[in-house]
Amino acid sequence: MAALKVPGKPDQNIELAAQAGDPAAMRVLAHYLQTAPGPNAGRDQAERWLLAAAEAGDPEAMHELSWLYQQRSMRKRGADKQADDAAWISWSRRAAEAGWVDAMRTMAFVTADTDEEESWLRRAADGGARRETLRLADVLARKGAAAEAEQWYHTAIAHDVASARQHLASFLIAQDRSAEAEPYVRAEAEAGSWAAARLLAGALERLGRADEAAEWRARAETLKGWESGAGVLAGPGWVEVIVTAVVTTALVPFIQALVAKTADDAYGHTRQFIQRLVRRNRATNNHSNEEDTPSSPPVDADAGLAVVRDPDAGISLFLWSNASDEALRALAALDLDELTLRRPDQGQVHLVWHPQPGTWHIRGH
């Protein structure tokens, strides 16, 4: 007879299985103890179960344990910090060698610019890590393995990895294949990407189309001003606030800028735009705290949250950099004036995406 399930607690049979030494059950029990309300004693017990699961060969537990040590090392200095750093790298390696793809991604990050990097990128890419297909292509291109690099660029494009088309175009231009590069960046340039516009100008110049190249170079400079470190758009009211990824600005023109980037359904450019906001904030924060905080291997390189605050309208937009096409399409069609009329009160309003039923909702705060 199955044990009764208590809300918020694992099935009683999970505890029995963990006590019996089942690695997966140990990990599930550790998850519960890590998140259960109550004193910190539960956290210590959770770590013991997680360590037991990892030592018993559970690759997911190994990976989670590595992150536990990594987070702990961020709060330490000296010998204690070095010990935790060594521990999280060791457990990441063991998890990766056991086949855990996220750990392979971590190891590719940790071993960047070493002889190991390519091997970990290959394993991660073969395991389904999309972003690593582009990183692998770049590594192979730098090593002169042009044919294989080109294959991986096309794989990254097929997986809709951000900037993959631009990387391939740059690769082709460097090989004096500008005519082939042009179509990979033209659509993105026309959708508002300054980097794509700059690449397109370079390709056109090599093709002898100087006037068109000059036009695109000028457009690239204009577009770059939109995305400069001084703010999202150059002009009054566009001020970037460096608090992780918070932007204080007028919401209507911000959304209009995003809508311009979704021309021809080029939603990848909108996601790149949000990613740049998040990375720029993150890079600034990491630089200001570089003595205290090591670079953290990404769990999901495509994910990041931008909070766009309009103090005049009293509205905050919560926008993820891996937002779905459906969410971005709905945002582009959103009538903010009509939405504001339906706000629950006259205080601050949070605008958030609900995947089910697939609409933007407002919540009073």
Side-chain angles (χ1 to χ4, degrees):
M1 180 177 177
L4 294 175
K5 293 184 178 180
V6 179
K9 296 189 66 175
D11 189 296
Q12 294 173 17
N13 288 327
I14 292 293
E15 298 184 49
L16 293 175
Q19 294 285 356
D22 182 86
M26 295 177 190
R27 170 170 44 78
V28 171
L29 185 56
H31 287 173
Y32 164 69
L33 292 169
Q34 283 175 327
T35 58
N40 290 332
R43 309 297 188 269
D44 296 335
Q45 192 177 1
E47 184 177 340
R48 288 195 293 272
W49 280 115
L50 198 59
L51 177 61
E55 290 178 336
D58 187 275
E60 184 176 355
M62 296 176 191
H63 181 60
E64 293 181 6
L65 187 63
S66 76
W67 273 97
L68 187 152
Y69 281 118
Q70 196 272 346
Q71 292 169 358
R72 183 180 296 164
S73 76
M74 295 171 63
R75 302 189 294 269
K76 294 183 178 179
R77 292 179 180 274
D80 288 342
K81 175 180 175 59
Q82 293 175 2
D84 282 337
D85 282 342
W88 79 255
I89 293 174
S90 174
W91 280 112
S92 288
R93 183 179 295 278
R94 289 179 63 174
E97 290 172 345
W100 197 252
V101 174
D102 280 346
M104 296 175 193
R105 299 176 67 190
T106 299
M107 290 308 302
F109 181 91
V110 170
T111 61
D113 300 322
T114 72
D115 293 339
E116 283 191 77
E117 180 185 21
E118 180 184 338
S119 173
W120 286 119
L121 286 173
R122 284 185 184 279
R123 293 181 65 175
D126 288 339
R130 297 182 304 119
R131 188 71 188 174
E132 277 59 37
T133 60
L134 180 57
R135 288 185 57 198
L136 177 57
D138 287 339
V139 167
L140 293 170
R142 289 196 298 269
K143 291 183 175 182
E148 189 179 6
E150 187 169 347
Q151 292 176 359
W152 280 107
Y153 281 127
H154 285 291
T155 299
I157 290 171
H159 287 310
D160 197 27
V161 177
S163 302
R165 292 177 179 275
Q166 294 178 29
H167 284 235
L168 176 57
S170 181
F171 168 81
L172 293 171
I173 291 171
Q175 291 196 318
D176 202 21
R177 297 162 62 187
S178 297
E180 296 176 59
E182 179 183 353
Y184 286 106
V185 287
R186 180 171 286 278
E188 295 192 354
E190 291 173 347
S193 167
W194 78 268
R198 183 186 58 184
L199 283 171
L200 179 58
L204 293 171
E205 190 167 37
R206 291 187 179 222
L207 292 171
R209 294 151 65 179
D211 291 344
E212 192 178 357
E215 178 186 344
W216 275 107
R217 188 167 287 108
R219 291 176 67 174
E221 289 303 313
T222 300
L223 292 168
K224 185 177 181 180
W226 285 24
E227 302 171 14
S228 68
V232 181
L233 288 178
W238 290 84
V239 181
E240 184 172 340
V241 182
I242 308 300
V243 183
T244 61
V246 178
V247 178
T248 301
T249 186
L251 192 58
V252 171
F254 180 89
I255 293 179
Q256 289 173 343
L258 292 184
V259 171
K261 293 176 182 296
T262 61
D264 300 323
D265 291 332
Y267 296 105
H269 302 300
T270 305
R271 285 186 278 267
Q272 291 175 40
F273 179 68
I274 304 165
Q275 286 167 356
R276 280 191 287 271
L277 289 179
V278 175
R279 281 198 298 265
R280 189 162 60 243
N281 281 276
R282 187 177 296 157
T284 302
N285 288 340
N286 285 345
H287 178 72
S288 63
N289 297 292
E290 58 188 2
E291 293 184 359
D292 299 325
T293 305
S295 298
S296 301
V299 174
D300 184 353
D302 292 330
L305 179 64
V307 181
V308 185
R309 292 176 177 167
D310 186 336
D312 293 332
I315 299 177
S316 294
L317 168 67
F318 292 77
L319 188 59
W320 287 92
S321 63
N322 59 355
S324 66
D325 288 358
E326 181 186 19
L328 297 175
R329 191 180 304 114
L331 181 62
L334 199 61
D335 185 340
L336 285 179
D337 291 336
E338 190 273 338
L339 185 67
T340 303
L341 292 175
R342 295 191 288 109
R343 63 196 298 170
D345 54 38
Q346 295 303 310
Q348 291 293 316
V349 167
H350 292 168
L351 182 60
V352 295
W353 172 251
H354 285 196
Q356 296 294 333
T359 56
W360 286 91
H361 284 224
I362 57 172
R363 294 187 60 186
H365 180 68

